[in-house]
Amino acid sequence: MEDHDFKLEKARLLSLALEFGFDERLAKKSLDRLISLYGDDGRDFLTVEHCGDDFLVALAETMEDSEDWDDDLQVVESEACGALNNMLDKNALPNTRSNSNTNVGNCINVIDDSPKRKKQTNLMELDSSSDEESLDVWISKKKGNFSTLSSRQDQSSRVGCRSSVTEGSISGQKQFFSTSMGGNGTLSYDELQALDDVELANVVIFGNRSFRALQRQACKASLAKRDCFILMPTGGGKSLCYQLPATLKPGVTLVISPLLSLIQDQIVTLNLKFGIPAAFLNSQQTASQAAAVLHELRQLLYVTPERVAGNQSFLEVLKCLHRKGQLAGFAVDEAHCVRFALFLVYTTEIWVIIDDYRGLGCLKQHFPNVPVTALTATATHSVREDILKALRIPNALVLKTSFDRPNLKYEVIGKAKDSLKQLGQLLQDRFKNQCGIVYCLSKNECAEVSNFLNVKCKIKTVYYHAGLASQQRVTVQKKWFDGEVQIVCATIAFGMGIDKPDVRFVVHNTMSKSIESYYQESGRAGRDNCSAVCIALYQKKDFSRVVCMLRNGQGCKSQSFKTAMAQAQKMRQYCELKDECRRKILLEHFGESFDRKACKNGSNPCDNCLRTS
Ligand SMILES: Nc1ncnc2c1ncn2[C@@H]1O[C@H](COP(=O)(O)OP(=O)(O)OP(=O)(O)O)[C@@H](O)[C@H]1O
Ligand SMILES: [Mg+2]
């Protein structure tokens, strides 16, 4: 290599380092060290393929590991397991109503609609004072086939929620609908009568006034026993697509979900909010706990994938259910896990889960006639192909909505010198008394940002990361959910399965590590479909922090580090967009073509569209 080229190449590498936000002095030092490693004149280093990557990795290594990335899902997972087991002990006590010949290892009796139970659940008995029709009777007259609704209401009264349902009078019904629709209005008797089974269940059981895009089609397809592949954005309402049919079909729907923390959230919502009997099984449960779960008929049974893939005894249980006509369907939630991890899942444990997801093809193999519903918020074409293949549902009906969240306004703000003060000002000026999340990259950053906002800006916040004691984490979540504190400064450990509808803003104090992560994290805003703002605060320097943390998480030589770097670079490009529409870039990342006019002319244009319109 000529002197001239050598100098040029060195300059290129240095500018690469600067572009990635590394300190210039450190970069020079690190480059000199690397060059000196390669023989007398060091020129060999510069001719090595991908020497730029190696240089960045080496540079990242020279920086101090002062930051502690909140990657520890295992803590959160084991606690979710404990909480679920607790619920199980309280709620799934041996079922005295079922036959006593239940035997998990052999065959189980899951039929739980004995006349005795029905009699117990008749809501008429609860309201002898009313001479008007009870909701139950009214519905059964209308449809003659709504026993599942009765059992839901039985469950409802059993867990002590929605007592208004038990009033059993027309006025009681109205009160119930009004409550369940969250104040969105009531439906008249005539309107209710015009609904079909699926619509009625949506209103009565789930308290929704109407369906969102494609939910109705998904429910109908599932009831018609079709395999389905459902692609909807985060917060789009995927759960309903398998939960609603599960309440209308005889038997149990098996739901495979990758993480206990997600399962926990679902079980709590189903049992306590909707009164739908749901339980879970995972590999950490003892045989007697599992037996207790299987003993009690549930409409929805959640399992982690390792429970299914390659687990012969569980397959036998499923076969037994199937023989009895009690296996209603399979739902594979977060189906993209077939392909890769979305939730920063680099720990060995989670990779195992992903392997297990790949093994879920056994379901279709053993039960070709039982419908499979796969659901994901990751929409690229190749992920879709992988999922259909791995689950062996090549002819599944694909239902895909746009991944656009028109109610979200995307913005990037360059960080000022005093970025914490800038953040405080932003929150005070634009989000006073509003509920939101400030995402931070590390545990330290969380605490630091929260303390600064509390002390210096007099903005009440709490912080949350996986390093907190479990009780503390529960307290923080509760305070935030109850509105006692409106802002939580959190790492990505906060948010999994979070379904708070009125989050008005998500601010990233440091850039996300990929577009996928950003879409997920920012997508926690505006789940009520009302306007919300997603702001990324950005400075070049933050990119080098992300690189360092990726290197810590994955080992710098691995292929996955290089992939992660490429993903982080895409995120950086998003942050550095000058004029292009941010919404368009996000959607195109998921393989969706998007006309930026829709952003410009929409009610929540991104910052670039707002500026250039
Ligand atoms: N038809 C509807 N009408 C009103 N609210 C709905 C409707 N369908 C779903 N929701 C609500 O939307 C929120 C998000 O739903 P859900 O959790 O199913 O989203 P998701 O698509 O599974 O999102 P994620 O990808 O984050 O898991 C929930 O609060 C749910 O109750
Ligand atoms: Mg979901």
Side-chain angles (χ1 to χ4, degrees), residues 15 18 52 92 107 109 147 163-164 241 257 262 268 309 423 464 484:
S15 81
L18 295 187
C107 199
N109 186 345
S147 59
S163 55
S164 62
C241 301
S257 180
L262 291 175
V268 169
L423 172 65
Y464 182 105
E484 193 184 324

Coordinates of all heavy atoms in Angstrom, one line a residue, residues 15 18 52 92 107 109 147 163-164 241 257 262 268 309 423 464 484:
S15 N -12.5 8.8 10.6 CA -13.8 9.5 10.5 C -15.0 8.5 10.7 O -16.0 8.9 11.2 CB -13.9 10.1 9.1 OG -14.3 9.2 8.1
L18 N -15.5 8.6 14.4 CA -16.1 9.8 14.8 C -17.6 9.8 14.4 O -18.5 10.2 15.2 CB -15.5 11.1 14.1 CG -14.0 11.3 14.5 CD1 -13.6 12.7 13.9 CD2 -13.9 11.4 16.0
G52 N -12.7 -2.2 9.3 CA -13.5 -1.1 10.0 C -14.3 -1.7 11.1 O -14.3 -1.1 12.2
A92 N -56.8 -22.1 41.1 CA -57.0 -23.4 40.5 C -57.0 -24.6 41.5 O -56.3 -25.5 41.3 CB -56.0 -23.7 39.4
C107 N -54.8 -39.8 30.9 CA -55.8 -39.1 30.2 C -56.6 -38.2 31.1 O -56.7 -38.5 32.3 CB -56.8 -40.2 29.6 SG -57.7 -39.5 28.2
N109 N -60.0 -35.7 32.2 CA -61.4 -35.4 32.0 C -61.5 -33.9 32.1 O -61.3 -33.3 33.1 CB -62.2 -36.1 33.0 CG -63.7 -35.9 32.7 OD1 -64.0 -35.0 31.9 ND2 -64.5 -36.7 33.3
S147 N -73.6 -21.2 25.9 CA -73.2 -21.7 27.2 C -71.9 -21.2 27.7 O -71.6 -21.0 28.9 CB -73.2 -23.2 27.2 OG -72.3 -23.6 26.2
S163 N -69.7 -7.0 39.2 CA -70.9 -7.5 39.9 C -72.2 -7.0 39.2 O -73.2 -7.5 39.4 CB -70.9 -7.0 41.4 OG -70.7 -5.6 41.3
S164 N -72.0 -5.9 38.4 CA -73.2 -5.4 37.7 C -73.8 -6.4 36.8 O -75.0 -6.4 36.6 CB -72.9 -4.1 37.0 OG -71.9 -4.4 36.0
C241 N -58.1 -11.9 18.6 CA -58.3 -12.8 17.5 C -58.3 -14.3 17.9 O -58.8 -15.1 17.1 CB -57.3 -12.5 16.4 SG -57.3 -10.8 15.8
S257 N -46.9 -18.9 24.2 CA -46.4 -17.6 24.3 C -45.0 -17.7 24.9 O -44.7 -18.5 25.8 CB -47.3 -16.8 25.3 OG -46.8 -15.5 25.4
L262 N -45.2 -12.2 29.8 CA -46.4 -11.9 28.9 C -47.6 -12.7 29.3 O -48.7 -12.2 29.3 CB -46.0 -12.2 27.5 CG -44.9 -11.4 26.8 CD1 -44.6 -11.9 25.4 CD2 -45.5 -9.9 26.7
V268 N -54.0 -12.5 34.0 CA -54.6 -11.5 34.9 C -55.8 -10.8 34.2 O -56.9 -10.7 34.7 CB -53.6 -10.5 35.5 CG1 -54.3 -9.4 36.2 CG2 -52.6 -11.2 36.4
A309 N -42.9 -28.4 22.5 CA -41.9 -29.0 21.6 C -41.2 -30.1 22.2 O -40.5 -30.0 23.2 CB -41.0 -27.9 21.1
L423 N -34.4 17.6 28.7 CA -35.4 16.6 28.9 C -36.5 17.2 29.8 O -37.7 17.1 29.6 CB -34.8 15.3 29.4 CG -35.8 14.2 29.8 CD1 -36.6 13.7 28.6 CD2 -35.1 13.0 30.4
Y464 N -37.5 2.3 37.0 CA -37.7 0.9 36.9 C -36.7 0.2 36.1 O -36.4 0.6 34.9 CB -39.1 0.7 36.2 CG -39.5 -0.8 36.2 CD1 -40.5 -1.3 37.0 CD2 -39.0 -1.7 35.2 CE1 -40.9 -2.6 36.9 CE2 -39.4 -3.0 35.1 CZ -40.4 -3.4 36.0 OH -40.8 -4.7 35.9
E484 N -50.6 7.5 40.2 CA -50.0 8.2 41.3 C -48.8 8.9 40.9 O -48.5 10.0 41.3 CB -49.7 7.2 42.4 CG -49.4 7.8 43.7 CD -49.0 6.7 44.8 OE1 -49.5 5.6 44.7 OE2 -48.1 7.1 45.6

